[in-house]
Amino acid sequence: MFAGEHGLQGDPRLKAISDAIRVVPHFPKSVCGFLFLSGIMFQDITTLLLDHKAYKDTLDIFVDRYRDMGISVVAGEVISEEYVLEYGNDCLEMHVGAVKHGERAIIIDDLVATGGTLSAAIRLLERVGAEVVECACVIGLPEFKGQFRLNGKPLYILVEPRQ
């Protein structure tokens, strides 16, 4: 679900957030010929984090959405969950004790493309007994096909990627 389609239609904060994200063409690039993803338009949120107003707007939108949902998590020994990306494998780690059995959690990521990262995060949190309420992303591909990987968890997205 895109924020602009549900409740935030015409909200100027969404355009400001989108405009604050730097687009880096053809990233990641190969090292010694192992990887080159021509045509990938990498959405770099570093510039969003440096834009105080756009960053605050991003946080405010998420806070408003989750304020009354009883969400709670903290950090603490590492467990990990491996997952597959469109260009290789990766691993998420979480401190043991960071989330306790029965806690309600949301997962927030910068971008959703295939759903691999969110799916791994869901499995990781559920391994320790947390209830994943929803996944949220700053950027989401409109043609996102990985919804099935999220085990029926709702997905909330602020903006579409810029080209």
Side-chain angles (χ1 to χ4, degrees), residues 38-88:
S38 179
I40 296 294
M41 303 300 277
F42 181 74
Q43 308 290 309
D44 180 10
I45 68 160
T46 304
T47 49
L48 170 66
L49 301 175
L50 295 172
D51 181 326
H52 300 292
K53 173 94 172 80
Y55 182 55
K56 182 183 181 314
D57 289 343
T58 302
L59 295 178
D60 286 348
I61 291 170
F62 284 138
V63 166
D64 288 345
R65 179 163 182 83
Y66 299 112
R67 174 173 287 135
D68 298 322
M69 290 189 183
I71 306 299
S72 62
V73 286
V74 271
E77 187 178 336
V78 173
I79 59 174
S80 63
E81 182 74 32
E82 291 188 13
Y83 63 101
V84 177
L85 294 165
E86 57 275 24
Y87 48 82

Side-chain angles (χ1 to χ4, degrees), residues 115-134:
T117 305
L118 293 175
S119 178
I122 291 168
R123 290 191 308 270
L124 193 60
L125 287 163
E126 289 179 342
R127 270 176 47 195
V128 298
E131 174 193 355
V132 176
V133 175
E134 185 169 82

Side-chain angles (χ1 to χ4, degrees), residues 10 52 142 149 159:
H52 300 292
R149 298 176 78 178
V159 299

Side-chain angles (χ1 to χ4, degrees), residues 125-155:
L125 287 163
E126 289 179 342
R127 270 176 47 195
V128 298
E131 174 193 355
V132 176
V133 175
E134 185 169 82
C135 298
C137 293
V138 176
I139 308 160
L141 301 181
E143 65 276 5
F144 174 62
K145 303 286 190 255
Q147 187 68 38
F148 69 93
R149 298 176 78 178
L150 303 183
N151 275 346
K153 304 298 181 201
L155 176 62

